[in-house]
Amino acid sequence: MSYLYILGAGTPTPTSERFGSSYVIELDNNNSKIMFDCGPAATDKLVKAGLWPTDIDYLFFTHHHFDHDIDYPCFLLCRWDQSIGEENILKVFGPPPTEKLTNDLIGENGAFAHDWRARINAKPSQYVYVNRGGTLPRMPPTIGDDEMLNSWIIPKDIKSGDLIKEADWVVETAHAEHVQPYLDSIAYKITINNFSIVFTGDTQPCQSIVTLAKDADIMVCMCWDDQESMNKMNESTGQCSAEGAAKMAEEANVKKLVLSHMGKRISTHGILENALGNAAKIYSGEMIIAEELMKISF
Ligand SMILES: [Zn+2]
C-alpha cells in the first residue's frame, strides 16, 4: 500500500489545527520517500506521522513563501545529523531561490554552518555519531550538482514545464498563478504506476493547472476561504477558494479533491459548511478536508 501523508494543511496564519504546507508520499516497496513543501514544523509532524527524516530522499518546493519552506533548515540539519553516512543523496527541486537558500543555510558560509562544524569536530558529538553507527571522520553536508557523486544534497532550481524522472515515478510541473513576479510558483503532478497526485501549491484557478490535473486520481488544492468573502475582501487574486478548487477539479475530471492550505476563516464551522455546500454543487467527485497527520492510502 502507498500513502499520501498530510503534514501541514494550513496557511501562514497559525491555528490550533493547521499551520503551513507539507506532504509526503510513501511508496509501496520503495524506501525513498518524497516530500512536497516543508512548512512550519514539518520535521516535527513528519516524526509524529511515524516517518523519519533520513527516509526522505526528494523534496519539491511549490514556492518560497515561509509557510511552505520555513522548516527547511530544521529538516536539513536533522536529516544530516541523524545520518550515519549511508543514506541516499537528498535531491531538492523548486523555483529559485532553492539553490541559493540551500547554500545560505548549510553551505560553507551558511547561517547554520557553525552547527555542522561543531558536530563534526567536537568529541562528544563524534561519540554520539559513532554510537549511532557512523564511521569517523564525519562528512559535512556537501552541496553538489549532478556530477558530484559524493554530495550529501543536490538542490536544483527548476521552472514550470520541467520534468523529473526517477525509476518508479515521474513528476510533471506546471505554472501556478500566485505572487509573480516576486516569487515563482510551480504546481506538481507525480505519477506512480498510472496513479497520479497533483499538488497545486498556492494559486488562483488557472488553465495550466486544469491541464496538468486532467484525469488525476487526487488533487491537493489550496483553499483560502469561500469565494464570496474573498471577492468582498479583495483576496481572490493569486489564491483559490473552495469553489475555485471545485471548479478546477470538475473541469480536470479529478477523482478525489483534497482541500488543504485551509485559511483561518474557512476553518470555522458555519463558513466551512457553507463553502463545502457551494463546492459540492460544482464538483461531482469525492471531496476531503485535509487534517494534519491524516494519511490517504492509494
Ligand atoms: Zn504562498
Side-chain angles (χ1 to χ4, degrees):
M1 192 72 86
S2 299
Y3 294 99
L4 162 63
Y5 290 80
I6 313 279
L7 301 183
T11 70
T13 307
T15 69
S16 54
E17 290 84 29
R18 298 181 185 90
F19 191 15
S21 282
S22 187
Y23 312 94
V24 168
I25 289 179
E26 178 180 52
L27 301 180
D28 201 14
N29 299 327
N30 189 330
N31 291 328
S32 284
K33 294 176 181 64
I34 307 147
M35 179 184 265
F36 289 84
D37 281 340
C38 194
T43 311
D44 179 50
K45 295 172 197 172
L46 179 85
V47 175
K48 284 179 175 153
L51 303 169
W52 194 245
T54 54
D55 294 336
I56 306 289
D57 291 337
Y58 300 88
L59 170 55
F60 291 86
F61 286 113
T62 58
H63 66 299
H64 285 289
H65 265 149
F66 87 87
D67 51 320
H68 297 254
D69 73 359
I70 195 67
D71 208 53
Y72 189 40
C74 179
F75 169 70
L76 288 177
L77 289 160
C78 183
R79 188 186 186 278
W80 174 80
D81 182 47
Q82 294 301 313
S83 162
I84 55 167
E86 292 176 2
E87 286 69 25
N88 296 327
I89 296 172
L90 174 62
K91 294 183 183 174
V92 182
F93 304 89
T98 299
E99 292 175 15
K100 180 182 183 302
L101 185 61
T102 308
N103 275 288
D104 288 352
L105 291 171
I106 58 161
E108 285 288 328
N109 300 306
F112 291 94
H114 55 269
D115 179 279
W116 59 255
R117 256 192 210 102
R119 289 183 201 279
I120 282 173
N121 293 302
K123 278 271 172 266
S125 301
Q126 289 181 351
Y127 291 134
V128 172
Y129 178 69
V130 169
N131 290 336
R132 191 185 290 136
T135 308
L136 297 174
R138 194 173 187 185
M139 302 308 289
T142 314
I143 301 170
D145 54 32
D146 291 331
E147 289 85 49
M148 291 176 67
L149 291 174
N150 60 346
S151 306
W152 182 79
I153 179 172
I154 300 175
K156 199 164 181 205
D157 287 350
I158 59 168
K159 57 186 183 319
S160 55
D162 287 352
L163 190 75
I164 296 101
K165 237 178 153 168
E166 291 289 332
D168 297 327
W169 50 264
V170 60
V171 167
E172 293 166 72
T173 60
H175 179 67
E177 297 178 2
H178 188 36
V179 291
Q180 286 87 348
Y182 303 101
L183 288 175
D184 194 13
S185 284
I186 295 175
Y188 293 105
K189 178 166 82 174
I190 182 166
T191 305
I192 314 120
N193 297 328
N194 293 323
F195 193 93
S196 57
I197 303 174
V198 170
F199 298 92
T200 66
D202 290 5
T203 187
Q204 63 190 21
C206 60
Q207 187 55 47
S208 52
I209 293 182
V210 171
T211 304
L212 178 78
K214 189 74 191 143
D215 300 324
D217 293 282
I218 297 175
M219 179 166 83
V220 181
C221 189
M222 88 160 289
C223 174
W224 173 244
D225 206 340
D226 67 278
Q227 190 64 51
E228 196 186 340
S229 306
M230 285 171 69
N231 291 346
K232 267 189 206 152
M233 293 189 279
N234 289 322
E235 292 184 353
S236 54
T237 303
Q239 306 193 98
C240 200
S241 65
E243 293 92 332
K247 199 159 175 283
M248 283 206 292
E250 182 66 20
E251 280 176 28
N253 192 35
V254 165
K255 291 187 188 67
K256 189 183 288 189
L257 172 62
V258 179
L259 294 174
S260 190
H261 199 284
M262 302 279 292
K264 190 177 177 184
R265 277 189 83 260
I266 202 169
S267 299
T268 55
H269 284 301
I271 295 168
L272 174 65
E273 285 77 7
N274 184 50
L276 289 181
N278 294 342
K281 285 179 199 150
I282 299 167
Y283 176 57
S284 52
E286 185 188 351
M287 199 156 48
I288 291 176
I289 308 297
E291 306 285 352
E292 296 191 352
L293 305 187
M294 167 191 268
K295 67 177 184 180
I296 299 167
S297 61
F298 62 93

